Each structure stands twice: as C-alpha cells, then as structure tokens.
Amino acid sequence: ATHCTRAAPPASNRAKLRMSHLPRERDFDVLIFGASGYTGERVARTLSKWSMPGGAWATVRWAIAGRSQKKLDGMLGGLASPPTGVVIADTSDEASLRAMSARTHVLMNATGPYRFYGEAVVSACIATTTDYCDLCGEPEFIDRCQLKHSDAARTAGVLVVHACAFDSVPADLGTLFTAMQFPPPALCAHADMYHVVSVEGSPPGASGHATTFRAAVHGFGGAGETRAQRKALLAKLEEEAPGSSRPPPPLGPKLKVAAGPAWQKALARYSFLFPGADVAVVRTSQRALARQPRRAGEPYLTPQFGASFTVASARSAAMVALAGALFNALSGSGWGRALLLRQPALFTLGAFSDEGPSEERLAATSWKSVFFGRGWSDATPDSPPSTSFDRTPRCGAQV
C-alpha cells in the first residue's frame, strides 16, 4: 500500500481493540464526507449506481455526509439509489467528526483543500478506529499525517491511505506494472509516465475545479514549510529503522524529465513536467518497497520515476507555458497568491473554475497514462550494466 500507516498491532493492543467501548457493528460500511462538494457528489453518484439491485455494492450500507443538511438533501434526487443514511458533521466541530466516523467502518474524505480541512478528519478516524482514505494530491498534507499520526494509527490498527484517485493511483500502480514487464534476468531502470487527456469536440466548461488550483497555490506558498516537514519525517523514519528514509539507489543514468514544452515524438504531443503529487507518492512507495526483502524471481520494482502531462497542439503548449509563467511569477509572494486564489479562471486561461467541468465536458473527456520503461535484458540491481538500455517496452492505462 502506498501511504498506509497501518501495521498489525501488538497482541495487547488487539485485545484492547476487541474490548473497545465502540460498537463492533456500525451503521454504515462506507461513508463519503464532503459528499455535496463537486468531487464528493460524483463519488456518491458512482456508489449509488453500484448499490442498485444486482450491482456490485447492492448489499453495502453507505452514507453521505457534510455540514449542510440542505445541500445533502438537495443532491438525493440525482442519485440512482438512495444512501443508507445522511450524516451532518463539520471539520470545525471535533465532536461531530468523531460521532460521524464512529458510525462507519470506512470513511472516504472528499473535503479540500486537505491542508486546511483534512487533519481533523484523520484524527477523528484514528480515535474511533475507523479506516480512512482520500483523494488528496497535496504532499504537505500527506507528509504531515505520516509524521504526526502514523504512530497512533499503527497502535489503533487503523488504515490511513491517501492519494486514492488521479493523484496518484495511475502513477503508483503504473510504475509497478511497468517494472513487472522486465521479469528477471531483465531489469527496469526508468519508468517515464505521460498523462494524456483527450477531449472530443469543444464542450463548454473548465477542465478542472478551482479547489484543485487553490490547493496548488497554497502548496507553492508553503514550499519552505513542506521541505522542513519532509526533513523531519525522514529523520523520524531513519530513527525508527535505519536506512528507511533513503530511496533505493538509482540504476543507470539519471532520469531527466524536461520542464517543457518538449516535443515527444512517440506520442506526437508536447509535454510538461507534471506539478502534482505523483513523484512524491511514488518515492514514498518505493522507500517502503525497498525495505522489503526481494524474493527469488521477483522483478526489480523500484525504477527511477518521472511524471509529465501532455497537450496536443503548439497553441495549447503556448497557453500552458503562459499560464505556468504567470503562476510562477505570482505564487512567490503573498499578494500574488491572493490574486491567484481570487481569480482561478483568469490566471489559468479558463482551465480551472469555481463551477468545475460541465457534465458535457466530463462526458467528452478521457485520459490515459502512458509509461515508457527502459532497462536491460540481462542485469542485476547489485551490478547494473554500464551499457545503454536495450529494452524499452511501452505500457498504458486508459479511462
């Protein structure tokens, strides 16, 4: 698991959990917190389809939750089947969060930006021994939870899993899948990923929701704090298990990812360095994998990883470059970040808006993540060849 803080608790702790005053049988199997938000509502719609008679979740008891009864009630008419329950809770009210999380076995958190609203939910889940997952793409929040809450989650036997969405399931699983295309004696040294988004026609609406953009603004503004926090996290990991803070040694030449725009002949598209959480998530996974003993016959699973996104035309590449330059120029100062936060549509040239993508745009949009693996047909991690790569498979996953 990528960002899993759970470990089998000691026998004494397991006994304490069995004797806990919390009810073993809970009202819900799964609860979506933030269900009336843009992304949370779409998660709820999907679960409502799955829970229809004959569906994969037909027997699952699921609930929607948020701070506004009116908004939650208003979205019920758009669901294919009704949830088992509706729960009111607010991130500013710790008691309400604990009452909510105590009623479900698994809590899906869709409230963002997570750096402001996520930690209280994680704390409530640990306190009520409720497993937690989110779709966070904010490295600062992910590191903070691991630094501050991993010990408590491990003791409670609670699973806390971040980045369970576009950030960063394709990157994490795609890197592993690419590495597995090099069965021994072959060895994968590089896994180079390119996100490819395709839109049919010219449907109305932005490509993304402003919450994602604002999370990025806050992330760039707190870059110094994030670096200091990661340094503290790595020190903690090293103290717990010497060597666990270090990534696996890179094999072969250093993987260089172009900042962009860069023409990718194999894709016939322009690429840019992907600014999301993918690299941080994959590196965290690889640190965990590197601590596990490698079994005989198992592929080498921790190649160097690079992440890019692509656009189809020179015009789109010019617009991305312009928007990126504006972002970099403004995000370095407080007044600049204030401008970015107030006018996401303006400073992204319409790519992000408070309304988010329209239904027509969502229906017309698909994406795939293409991976290029590079390595050798006959090599070992202990003594990789000094020769050029002789094996370069291409892999892809499409949604």
Side-chain angles (χ1 to χ4, degrees), residues 166 170 195-198 365-369 397-399:
F166 181 79
H195 288 312
V196 179
V197 178
S198 301
T365 301
S366 63
W367 62 266
K368 62 182 177 181
S369 298
Q398 183 164 352
V399 175

Side-chain angles (χ1 to χ4, degrees), residues 13-29:
N13 287 335
R14 291 199 295 271
K16 291 177 183 177
L17 291 176
R18 286 195 296 268
M19 297 298 292
S20 171
H21 66 281
L22 294 172
R24 188 170 184 81
E25 182 59 37
R26 302 193 177 190
D27 296 332
F28 314 115
D29 299 305

Side-chain angles (χ1 to χ4, degrees), residues 56-384:
W57 280 39
T59 60
V60 173
R61 302 163 304 153
W62 64 285
I64 57 175
R67 62 183 180 180
S68 171
Q69 182 79 55
K70 182 178 180 180
K71 288 183 178 180
L72 292 171
D73 289 344
M75 64 178 284
L76 293 176
L79 300 179
S81 60
T84 310
V86 177
V87 179
I88 304 302
D90 193 311
T91 55
S92 63
D93 183 348
E94 181 182 351
S96 73
L97 293 179
R98 291 197 178 199
M100 170 185 66
S101 60
R103 297 182 64 186
T104 184
H105 291 289
V106 177
L107 188 145
M108 296 179 173
N109 186 15
T111 59
Y114 288 91
R115 68 163 50 229
F116 301 125
Y117 305 119
E119 188 175 359
V121 184
V122 171
S123 296
C125 285
I126 294 173
T128 56
T129 61
T130 300
D131 288 336
Y132 168 100
C133 68
D134 62 36
L135 37 77
C136 174
E138 303 171 37
E140 184 278 334
F141 172 73
I142 295 171
D143 286 351
R144 190 192 335 155
C145 286
Q146 191 174 3
L147 178 63
K148 296 177 61 176
H149 301 288
S150 60
D151 292 340
R154 187 179 296 112
T155 298
V158 169
L159 181 67
V160 177
V161 186
H162 303 292
C164 298
F166 181 79
D167 290 319
S168 291
V169 171
D172 219 13
L173 295 185
T175 302
L176 290 173
F177 182 79
T178 302
M180 292 172 69
Q181 307 316 300
F182 292 73
L187 187 148
C188 181
H190 290 177
D192 209 0
M193 180 192 72
Y194 296 86
H195 288 312
V196 179
V197 178
S198 301
V199 182
E200 295 183 9
S202 301
S207 299
H209 195 274
T211 297
T212 301
F213 176 75
R214 291 188 176 108
V217 173
H218 290 299
F220 274 76
E225 175 187 340
T226 300
R227 286 192 293 268
Q229 182 174 262
R230 181 160 295 168
K231 183 177 180 180
L233 171 60
L234 295 178
K236 179 177 185 291
L237 293 175
E238 191 66 24
E239 182 179 352
E240 293 174 349
S244 63
S245 68
R246 296 188 291 274
L251 303 181
K254 180 178 176 61
L255 175 58
K256 297 179 180 179
V257 180
W263 177 250
Q264 301 297 332
K265 183 178 179 180
L267 298 171
R269 296 173 71 93
Y270 293 93
S271 71
F272 292 84
L273 184 69
F274 183 62
D278 286 349
V279 171
V281 169
V282 169
R283 284 177 179 170
T284 299
S285 295
Q286 291 188 338
R287 285 199 303 268
L289 286 169
R291 297 200 301 268
Q292 306 301 316
R294 187 159 167 254
R295 292 171 293 195
E298 183 178 74
Y300 180 76
L301 298 177
T302 54
Q304 297 179 61
F305 170 73
S308 303
F309 72 96
T310 66
V311 295
S313 67
R315 179 177 180 272
S316 296
M319 292 178 66
V320 170
L322 175 60
L326 283 171
F327 186 93
N328 289 335
L330 294 172
S331 61
S333 63
W335 66 267
R337 289 191 294 274
L339 281 176
L340 292 170
L341 293 170
R342 281 200 299 268
Q343 299 289 341
L346 174 63
F347 290 106
T348 63
L349 306 180
F352 292 85
S353 73
D354 286 309
E355 295 75 27
S358 64
E359 294 299 330
E360 293 85 355
R361 190 171 188 88
L362 288 174
T365 301
S366 63
W367 62 266
K368 62 182 177 181
S369 298
V370 180
F371 287 78
F372 292 91
R374 296 178 178 85
W376 301 278
S377 298
D378 192 351
T380 65
D382 297 328
S383 56

